[in-house]
Amino acid sequence: DSHRQELLWLIHDLRLWNGKEILPLPPDLEVATDAAKTIGGGLVLFPHVGADQATALSEEVRWRWHHWELDINVNVKETATVEMGLRALDRVFLDLIYDVRILCNIDNMTGLSYINKQGGPFPHLSRIAERLWRWCLSRGVLIFCRHLAGVLNTRADRASRHRGDRSEWRLKRKPFNAIEAQFGPHSVDLMASRTNHLLGRYFSRWGDPSAAA
């Protein structure tokens, strides 16, 4: 089944891109990612001179894991964090992640390998890498991962270990349902996060891969 999925990907998606560059050019954007096993994930966009739209931009996006995600293997989290972080960044800077080369610093060798090689022997990790590449190719984006030792990956590490603040609260479900029944339906949760939103559509204080804005 995994071989069939790879062949289908080749047939339907490979035509969107003519392959990796033989002589890679300097990146337009540089980011760093990290996934903390029991807290959350984070991505940092570094200021980078060279691409007009990215010049002097610097941003941090971060999110917390749901309770059912805490026991997921760290290699899966590290690999998924790259896509989640870029999707969150796309909600902060509209039209930034189009037709650019992205250098991603990551301290996990498994995630690095699966993304750079566009897959690997384990189907669950390959699906994550393929989903990331499919999203990138649809935007004309070329991504390449570079290893950055954990002791040097301090900003992304700090973002992934953010435990929330006093704004991280919400109504309990029962009183919310009563308010929704009397005054709803409501269309957006302001402000919320990936782990505490009460409506499907929500805005977050920080860049969040699932937030509408």
Side-chain angles (χ1 to χ4, degrees), residues 40-199:
L43 175 145
V44 173
L45 169 67
F46 295 112
H48 187 79
V49 178
D52 292 340
Q53 61 181 353
T55 300
L57 291 179
S58 180
E59 182 67 21
E60 176 183 298
V61 296
R62 60 202 191 199
W63 59 92
R64 300 189 69 181
W65 303 122
H66 290 290
H67 64 87
W68 62 81
E69 296 173 315
L70 296 179
D71 293 330
I72 293 176
N73 182 274
V74 68
N75 290 330
V76 174
K77 290 179 178 176
E78 291 278 7
T79 308
T81 289
V82 177
E83 180 193 3
M84 296 173 72
L86 290 177
R87 287 184 180 274
L89 192 65
D90 185 53
R91 286 160 170 77
V92 178
F93 296 113
L94 298 178
D95 300 324
L96 176 66
I97 308 178
Y98 283 93
D99 298 317
V100 291
R101 299 172 183 82
I102 299 177
L103 172 61
C104 179
N105 296 282
I106 181 173
D107 60 14
N108 181 272
M109 293 300 294
T110 299
L112 179 151
S113 176
Y114 271 79
I115 293 171
N116 284 349
K117 294 180 180 179
Q118 301 176 334
F122 293 101
H124 61 293
L125 286 170
S126 282
R127 284 192 292 269
I128 298 171
E130 290 166 11
R131 188 175 63 232
L132 168 63
W133 272 98
R134 191 174 292 114
W135 185 76
C136 288
L137 294 179
S138 70
R139 293 162 168 256
V141 171
L142 176 64
I143 185 170
F144 178 79
C145 289
R146 177 177 67 183
H147 183 254
L148 180 66
V151 294
L152 301 176
N153 198 17
T154 54
R155 287 190 60 192
D157 180 77
R158 184 170 63 248
S160 71
R161 296 177 186 278
H162 179 72
R163 293 183 175 273
D165 52 38
R166 60 186 179 183
S167 68
E168 284 287 317
W169 60 272
R170 70 174 183 180
L171 293 173
K172 290 186 177 180
R173 178 61 66 173
K174 187 173 181 179
F176 172 77
N177 289 343
I179 293 171
E180 181 78 343
Q182 184 166 353
F183 300 105
H186 296 90
S187 60
V188 61
D189 193 344
L190 300 175
M191 302 288 290
S193 71
R194 185 172 180 266
T195 55
N196 76 355
H197 61 96
L198 288 163
L199 294 171

Side-chain angles (χ1 to χ4, degrees), residues 8-19 137-138:
L8 289 174
W9 182 84
L10 286 170
I11 293 169
H12 295 295
D13 292 344
L14 192 59
R15 63 171 181 253
L16 298 175
W17 191 256
N18 62 357
L137 294 179
S138 70

